[in-house]
Amino acid sequence: MKKLNFVLIFTLAVGMSACEQVYEVLQPDTEEESGEIPIGIALPLTGRLAPAGSLMKQGFDLALSEINMSQPDHAQFRFIVADDASTPEGAVEAFNKLIHEDGVSVIIGPASSSATQAAFPIAQENQIAAISPTSSARGLSAIGDYVFRVPLATDVVISVGVEATQAKLGYQRAATLYDETDLFSTDRDATLREVFAANGIEALPAETFQGGDTDFSAQLSRIKALNPDVVFVSSLPPDKPVILTQGRELGITAPFIVSSLTDVEVQDAGAAAEGAITFIGWLPTDDTPVNQAFVQNYSAEFGMAPNVFAAASYAAVYILAEAIKNAQSTDSTRIRDALANIKNFDTVLGKFSFNADGDAVYAPKVLIVKNGALQPFE
């Protein structure tokens, strides 16, 4: 790839309705054949994770629009999107297409931990920088030095979350329910049990299901019979509202602590979601100018409030743009090096850094559903 000269300008302009973050990427050298900067995107547009993929794409598209609209006469980012079909095999196919057919030097994706575990080795083998916006199972960034992740790793959010919630709720006996077919869910349950042991919490026998199941009554009935102080649920998006609804219908009164619960899932679960708690990396009501501008602009553009999938995807584009600016190049190795050196960068997630393994560093959040909406757990 030929070298491009980039200048990145951040402007916070306070207007009548919001703060607007403006990126400007200046025109490339005159010898460059094209002012476009292609970015591969691998996400689930079909399959069981398609609803989350649609929200992620909205986050990607908003960031792309903001960056390109801020400098219409200069270098433009361009997405090349590949559907990973919500499967690890689809993610491998998407990465191979983006790398070998489309010739991209950087990829944002995949979404799930299972897909990321399968696709990240493809990026590493081909020395293509890759950033997953939403996979958080432990150890995935350690696959190689070309791969990075935007969400906090499972052990980080669980350690903070259990400490905060146990201190307030005082639970001593914890039940767990998790998707045995999904890497994120199995890793989260294993991490929970490690943290329980370290904090003197009794871990009751685990209950499992398979992604796509619709009847959880047998597992939830066994959990109810154990009379736990709290119920932890580790699952991908489609299953969480159903589990909450069926759990409350069966009369489980213990608090549910659910992985990465979003406002969309809260709405789907209705009254059954009230009081549910989640450990997450993004606070919708965070009052930083960058986050408030994002929430307002996203809501205006799409007619709905953003959730964590959209926020993390939006952040990933801006993090990559910062790396490209710092690299002064579209060469993948130079972008890799620039990503590794991202420190205390302002994002919708807060001050963002990558650690030595390529995992994200920022403050985790604990939220609770009150009056039908996610709010800080206090």
Side-chain angles (χ1 to χ4, degrees):
M1 291 282 180
K2 296 182 180 178
K3 179 178 178 182
L4 302 179
N5 289 329
F6 295 100
V7 175
L8 201 60
I9 300 173
F10 283 97
T11 303
L12 290 178
V14 182
M16 292 293 290
S17 59
C19 281
E20 183 179 3
Q21 185 181 33
V22 180
Y23 251 94
E24 185 174 345
V25 185
L26 294 186
Q27 229 170 359
D29 291 340
T30 55
E31 73 268 13
E32 182 71 21
E33 294 178 0
S34 170
E36 287 189 332
I37 305 165
I39 298 170
I41 302 287
L43 78 166
L45 296 177
T46 59
R48 65 187 300 261
L49 299 181
S54 176
L55 296 172
M56 292 173 65
K57 189 172 187 302
Q58 290 179 176
F60 291 141
D61 289 345
L62 180 61
L64 179 74
S65 175
E66 289 176 354
I67 293 170
N68 285 346
M69 286 181 65
S70 70
Q71 39 82 53
D73 298 325
H74 303 297
Q76 301 278 290
F77 289 122
R78 176 172 64 91
F79 288 159
I80 302 174
V81 179
D83 178 16
D84 69 21
S86 302
T87 67
E89 297 80 9
V92 169
E93 184 177 343
F95 265 50
N96 278 322
K97 175 187 178 297
L98 291 168
I99 293 168
H100 300 299
E101 296 181 25
D102 300 310
V104 302
S105 59
V106 63
I107 298 172
I108 302 178
S112 74
S113 293
S114 297
T116 299
Q117 184 185 52
F120 264 9
I122 306 299
Q124 183 66 30
E125 178 184 352
N126 290 277
Q127 297 188 343
I128 297 296
I131 313 169
S132 173
T134 52
S135 67
S136 56
R138 293 173 293 178
L140 296 180
S141 295
I143 286 172
D145 57 348
Y146 279 82
V147 295
F148 302 82
R149 294 187 295 164
V150 169
L152 295 165
T154 303
D155 53 339
V156 175
V157 292
I158 286 177
S159 295
V160 171
V162 167
E163 180 179 353
T165 54
Q166 190 194 25
K168 183 171 181 178
L169 302 177
Y171 53 81
Q172 295 299 318
R173 302 173 70 251
T176 67
L177 173 65
Y178 70 94
D179 180 353
E180 64 183 355
T181 66
D182 170 60
L183 175 62
F184 163 70
S185 302
T186 57
D187 179 66
R188 187 177 187 272
D189 194 80
T191 305
L192 281 168
R193 291 174 178 278
E194 293 170 10
V195 174
F196 292 164
N199 288 272
I201 300 167
E202 179 186 356
L204 300 174
E207 292 288 341
T208 65
F209 63 95
Q210 295 189 352
D213 287 351
T214 58
D215 184 0
F216 305 93
S217 57
Q219 297 95 323
L220 291 166
S221 294
R222 288 191 290 269
I223 287 173
K224 181 184 178 182
L226 293 172
N227 193 29
D229 298 325
V230 65
V231 181
F232 284 83
V233 178
S234 302
S235 170
L236 294 177
D239 309 310
K240 289 178 276 186
V242 183
I243 291 170
L244 286 171
T245 300
Q246 293 182 6
R248 294 312 186 198
E249 288 174 346
L250 286 167
I252 295 176
T253 58
F256 277 87
I257 299 181
V258 184
S259 58
S260 304
L261 191 65
T262 70
D263 279 322
V264 172
E265 293 151 3
V266 169
Q267 292 169 10
D268 288 345
E274 193 69 16
I277 298 166
T278 192
F279 309 154
I280 210 160
W282 176 66
L283 179 62
T285 57
D286 193 334
D287 62 0
T288 65
V290 171
N291 189 60
Q292 288 305 297
F294 163 66
V295 171
Q296 181 163 340
N297 293 342
Y298 184 98
S299 300
E301 179 70 19
F302 301 110
M304 61 188 296
N307 70 5
V308 67
F309 292 103
S313 300
Y314 178 90
V317 179
Y318 274 98
I319 291 164
L320 176 58
E322 173 73 358
I324 291 173
K325 181 268 295 187
N326 292 339
Q328 291 283 291
S329 175
T330 56
D331 175 74
S332 189
T333 298
R334 295 187 65 170
I335 293 172
R336 182 273 314 267
D337 294 342
L339 284 168
N341 287 305
I342 293 284
K343 303 296 179 188
N344 296 318
F345 178 57
D346 280 319
T347 72
V348 298
L349 306 170
K351 295 286 187 181
F352 184 98
S353 304
F354 283 116
N355 67 15
D357 291 329
D359 278 333
V361 178
Y362 53 95
K365 313 291 193 302
V366 181
L367 306 182
I368 186 170
V369 180
K370 289 184 178 180
N371 300 317
L374 286 165
Q375 301 179 26
F377 177 84
E378 296 172 341

